Every structure is written in C-alpha cells, then in structure tokens.
C-alpha cells in the first residue's frame, strides 16, 4: 500500500503522532512546550522519525535532514534549561522547536503529495508547481509563525513558569 515497506510504516506510524502533538501545542500554547505531556510525546515521536529515516530514506539529503532534526530537537529541549541565557533561552527554544515542526512537515507534505491517492498521486514530479507551492507555503508559515511566537514572547514576558 502506497509503496511503503514495513520499515517505512514503522517510520511513518512512529513519527505520525508528532503532528497532532505539535498542532495541539501550537494552538493551545502558541509554541511547542517541551515540559508538557504533549511535548514529551512530540519528542519521542520526533526521535523515532529522525532515527528511522536513516533506514528508509532514498534521497541523498534525507540522512542530513534527519541528523539536523535530531540536533535541533535536542538543542530545543535542552536550551530552555540553561538559566544563564536568561529570557533569550525561550526565544531559542521556540526557534529550534518550531524549526523541527517545519522539518517534520516538509517530508510529510512531500511524501503525501507523491503517494496519495494510491496509484494516482497528486504529484509525480519533484519539480511540480503543486509541490513547490506547498513547500513554499510551509516556509511562509514558518517565517510568519516564528514572528508571531516571538511577538507573543516579547509581549507577555515569558517567565520560568510559562508553558
């Protein structure tokens, strides 16, 4: 089904819960909140997805994106605990974790458009205007989302107890 191997299904189903976890936190808190239950689910699912990409990906850039995602994810989950950085840590945490959402959604959108519906995918060419438009939309959402998150952080002066 969809040309996905059993290992590919492990990768897909293991990382899939990160999407609703991220969506929930972005809607509820305006950012990824690593010290929450949804944040823990997001972390575990992102690690599963990033580690299994090395086993299933065919594109030469996939392992690089997987490794970068792991590094950025770990940085995002650690930086908020570095009190020496003061309030800057919340901006860095927000930037890193929002970037991981983007890195999750790029292959999700790309693979979905290139595999669904089964046998007659929406996109067959990696240079398709539909695919390029969808990826440009994700990039725009990243930039606008980060701007909104930073304004929120600045306006409400995130404290240690903030979500």
């Amino acid at each position: 089904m969809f040309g996905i191997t059993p290992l590919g299904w492990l990768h897909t189903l293991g990382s899939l819960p990160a999407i609703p976890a991220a969506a929930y936190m972005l809607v509820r808190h305006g950012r990824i909140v690593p010290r929450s239950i949804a944040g823990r689910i997001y972390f575990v699912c992102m690690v599963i997805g990033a580690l299994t990409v090395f086993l299933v990906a065919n594109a030469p850039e996939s392992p690089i994106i997987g490794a970068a995602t792991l590094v950025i994810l770990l940085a995002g989950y650690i930086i908020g605990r570095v009190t020496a950085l003061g309030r800057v840590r919340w901006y860095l945490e927000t930037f890193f974790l929002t970037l991981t959402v983007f890195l999750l959604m790029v292959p999700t959108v790309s693979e979905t458009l290139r595999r669904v519906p089964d046998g007659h995918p929406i996109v067959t060419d990696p240079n398709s205007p539909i695919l390029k438009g969808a990826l440009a939309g994700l990039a725009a959402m990243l930039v606008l989302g980060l701007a909104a998150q930073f304004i929120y952080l600045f306006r409400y002066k995130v404290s240690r107890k903030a979500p």
Side-chain angles (χ1 to χ4, degrees), residues 29-100:
H29 303 290
R31 63 192 191 98
I32 301 298
V33 183
R35 289 160 296 283
S36 67
I37 292 171
R40 290 181 191 106
I41 292 168
Y42 180 76
F43 179 81
V44 168
C45 294
M46 286 296 291
V47 168
I48 290 169
L51 289 176
T52 56
V53 77
F54 296 103
L55 303 172
V56 299
N58 295 326
E61 62 274 4
S62 296
I64 295 166
I65 293 171
T69 300
L70 276 174
V71 169
I72 295 166
L73 181 70
L74 291 172
Y77 272 78
I78 292 169
I79 199 87
R81 298 181 188 277
V82 181
T83 57
L85 294 173
R87 285 188 51 213
V88 171
R89 68 185 178 193
W90 300 116
Y91 291 93
L92 291 171
E93 176 183 271
T94 299
F95 174 77
F96 290 146
L97 295 179
T98 301
L99 186 56
T100 65

Side-chain angles (χ1 to χ4, degrees), residues 74-134:
L74 291 172
Y77 272 78
I78 292 169
I79 199 87
R81 298 181 188 277
V82 181
T83 57
L85 294 173
R87 285 188 51 213
V88 171
R89 68 185 178 193
W90 300 116
Y91 291 93
L92 291 171
E93 176 183 271
T94 299
F95 174 77
F96 290 146
L97 295 179
T98 301
L99 186 56
T100 65
V101 174
F102 175 75
L103 292 173
L104 168 67
M105 293 310 298
V106 167
T108 300
V109 167
S110 176
E111 288 296 311
T112 300
L113 290 174
R114 293 191 296 155
R115 293 181 187 266
V116 175
D118 196 15
H120 303 295
I122 296 168
V123 171
T124 55
D125 179 17
N127 294 317
S128 163
I130 295 172
L131 180 58
K132 286 185 176 188

Side-chain angles (χ1 to χ4, degrees), residues 16-33:
L16 191 61
I19 296 171
Y24 167 77
M25 289 183 286
L26 290 171
V27 169
R28 176 83 166 85
H29 303 290
R31 63 192 191 98
I32 301 298
V33 183

